[in-house]
Amino acid sequence: MGQHWKKIWVGSAGNMVEWFDWFVYASFATYFAGSFFPAGNDTAKLMNTAGIFAVGFFMRPVGGWLLGRVGDRKGRKAALTLTVTLMSASAVLIAVAPTYAVAGYGGVAVLLVARLLQGLSVGGEYAASATYLTEASAPGRRGFASSFQYVSMTAGQILGLGLQIVLQHTLSSGELHSWGWRIPFVVGALGAAVIFYLRRNMLETEAYTEATEEATEESARAAAERGTIRALMRHKREAFLVVALTMGGTVAYYTYTTYLTKYLSNSAGLPKQTATLVSFCALLVFACLQPLAGALSDRIGRRPLLITFAVGSTFLTVPIMTMLKHAGSFWPALGLSLLALVVVTGYTSINACVKAELFPTGIRSLGVALPYAVANALFGGTAEYVALWFKNGGIESGFYWYVAGCAAVSLVVYLTMRETRDIDLKRVGGAPEGAPAEAGKVPAS
């Protein structure tokens, strides 16, 4: 048990720093948007920074492919170490990026390169950590263990928001807009350096080690095809499932986490400090819910939680977002935000292990990484930009229906997919690695 917890801790701590760096871009965008673009409409500036945020997501499929391949061929440890290196470099670039007044659009170019590096990093981080946490967990506890992925992701955002609250109370608005927004990126770069050291000494999972030895003994061809697109194509149905079941969850997640602070400030009219505090408190409760829901899935299965999320998101998104816009103060906004995040927990707490449980060990990292990154590029990364596009067009409520519609699509998938709770991670796929497997062959519970 001690070794299991050590692996979960190291994987989660690194994930936390990765997502701290990823999310502080979004949470501090309201302060640095004016630094990189000429004077003009505030919503237009936010759309520009959101567009660069979205570009990072479009690099995630590339990162998912490259780092997923590394994870399946060189090990989960190698992939996790490389992701945090890329994230540290990107944080440094943002911290030192020149403003529009100093370098014109040169600062935007630096910002864009940094986001491309972050996209590569996070594109591999999700799958590497999802696979690592799932494989490192004790039998019958995969839902609980893998839930710490979103605990750590949310913890990274909480730390970012907490630092934002501290800076809001210690620096003036002018100082925050001028140079204070650079502080979190410096902190992120330093944190990534610490995690790099921890990950260099982390333990590889037994599932990966055993599968590597077996593949080597079977044939050189089996070993050579680990982590390749050719091997992934034998599991096309599972890859499609990852895209489809991610669609509704990622849009809802980014709506109520990344975009929430801006929505409360830019649309609901709450002061920035109040909007930040609402997000901070809601995310704190949200993080605590993840292990509870993950443990519940180990008892009743993954599908009931996924279906509950999809039904709730389909029918509650429009009324929740509408009421949030007219919340007016801290407590109503917090209550509605918590309701939304409780619903989203049905997806976030277990989606990592569900995806990992669909693939055999030799293609698990790439199998999760690439289709998940594609889904995030199409739906998660664009969520904030789509929301601001609807707002700028004067039909903000259209975004609420968009979120609900994405959840409805995922609901169909959840209702028709098989249960994955009781599958054997070393045998999922129904065939030796390197040999064709029957598409979608996942034992029913």
Side-chain angles (χ1 to χ4, degrees):
M1 180 63 73
Q3 290 291 350
H4 287 305
W5 277 109
K6 182 178 180 180
K7 292 175 181 178
I8 291 170
W9 154 245
V10 176
S12 297
N15 202 36
M16 177 182 68
V17 174
E18 287 262 359
W19 288 92
F20 170 88
D21 289 338
W22 180 260
F23 280 121
V24 290
Y25 178 95
S27 59
F28 278 85
T30 54
Y31 292 105
F32 68 72
S35 297
F36 294 98
F37 299 97
N41 181 276
D42 288 341
T43 299
K45 291 180 183 178
L46 285 176
M47 287 184 70
N48 287 329
T49 53
I52 295 177
F53 183 77
V55 165
F57 275 86
F58 284 101
M59 285 300 292
R60 289 175 68 164
V62 180
W65 170 60
L66 290 174
L67 296 170
R69 181 181 173 87
V70 170
D72 285 327
R73 297 180 70 86
K74 303 297 182 181
R76 319 311 188 201
K77 173 183 173 180
L80 287 168
T81 303
L82 183 55
T83 61
V84 78
T85 302
L86 292 172
M87 186 61 75
S88 179
S90 66
V92 171
L93 282 176
I94 298 176
V96 301
T99 64
Y100 181 83
V102 173
Y105 285 106
V108 176
V110 174
L111 201 64
L112 182 60
V113 170
R115 288 300 296 176
L116 292 176
L117 287 176
Q118 285 191 335
L120 283 173
S121 175
V122 177
E125 171 67 24
Y126 174 88
S129 60
T131 301
Y132 188 87
L133 289 172
T134 302
E135 291 181 348
S137 61
R141 302 280 283 174
R142 292 198 299 259
F144 173 76
S146 65
S147 71
F148 282 90
Q149 182 177 45
Y150 269 81
V151 172
S152 58
M153 286 172 61
T154 306
Q157 190 172 6
I158 289 172
L159 288 175
L161 288 171
L163 179 57
Q164 187 173 17
I165 291 171
V166 171
L167 293 176
Q168 285 173 339
H169 286 82
T170 55
L171 299 177
S172 67
S173 177
E175 289 171 330
L176 271 172
H177 283 83
S178 177
W179 56 268
W181 60 265
R182 298 182 186 271
I183 294 175
F185 298 104
V186 175
V187 172
L190 294 174
V194 173
I195 298 304
F196 174 80
Y197 172 78
L198 291 175
R199 284 187 166 178
R200 285 192 65 187
N201 296 282
M202 71 193 302
L203 301 172
E204 189 57 81
T205 66
E206 293 179 7
Y208 177 81
T209 302
E210 292 179 11
T212 302
E213 293 172 352
E214 291 173 2
T216 302
E217 292 172 358
E218 286 171 8
S219 69
R221 176 175 173 271
E225 289 196 355
R226 296 174 65 84
T228 63
I229 296 295
R230 179 183 297 178
L232 180 59
M233 287 300 97
R234 299 195 185 102
H235 303 275
K236 291 188 288 291
R237 183 176 185 274
E238 287 81 359
F240 172 77
L241 278 175
V242 171
V243 173
L245 67 87
T246 300
M247 178 181 176
T250 192
V251 171
Y253 177 74
Y254 280 99
T255 296
Y256 295 121
T257 56
T258 303
Y259 180 61
L260 181 63
T261 304
K262 294 188 194 62
Y263 181 72
L264 292 175
S265 175
N266 203 30
S267 295
L270 294 180
K272 289 181 180 179
Q273 292 87 342
T274 302
T276 303
L277 187 59
V278 169
S279 294
F280 179 85
C281 294
L283 288 171
L284 192 61
V285 176
F286 177 67
C288 294
L289 291 174
Q290 304 309 297
L292 299 177
L296 179 62
S297 78
D298 287 327
R299 296 180 62 87
I300 68 173
R302 321 297 190 211
R303 290 180 67 248
L305 271 71
L306 291 171
I307 292 170
T308 299
F309 150 71
V311 170
S313 190
T314 299
F315 294 103
L316 294 179
T317 294
V318 174
I320 287 176
M321 293 294 286
T322 301
M323 288 188 287
L324 268 175
K325 187 172 183 178
H326 302 285
S329 61
F330 173 81
W331 288 109
L334 178 61
L336 290 166
S337 300
L338 284 175
L339 175 59
L341 288 173
V342 167
V343 172
V344 175
T345 295
Y347 166 80
T348 55
S349 60
I350 59 171
N351 82 93
C353 67
V354 170
K355 295 163 189 172
E357 288 166 345
L358 291 172
F359 298 93
T361 305
I363 196 64
R364 184 169 294 135
S365 186
L366 180 62
V368 175
L370 187 54
Y372 171 80
V374 169
N376 262 273
L378 294 175
F379 304 106
T382 58
E384 183 178 336
Y385 192 86
V386 170
L388 291 170
W389 181 83
F390 273 114
K391 177 178 175 59
N392 208 42
I395 48 173
E396 190 167 28
S397 61
F399 177 67
Y400 315 159
W401 290 101
Y402 169 76
V403 177
C406 289
V409 173
S410 288
L411 175 59
V412 176
V413 177
Y414 303 153
L415 290 171
T416 56
M417 69 181 289
R418 295 193 180 196
E419 179 60 62
T420 62
R421 177 188 60 179
D422 297 324
I423 64 106
D424 184 344
L425 285 181
K426 298 178 183 179
R427 296 183 179 278
V428 60
E433 293 172 21
E438 182 181 346
K441 187 66 175 179
V442 179
S445 61

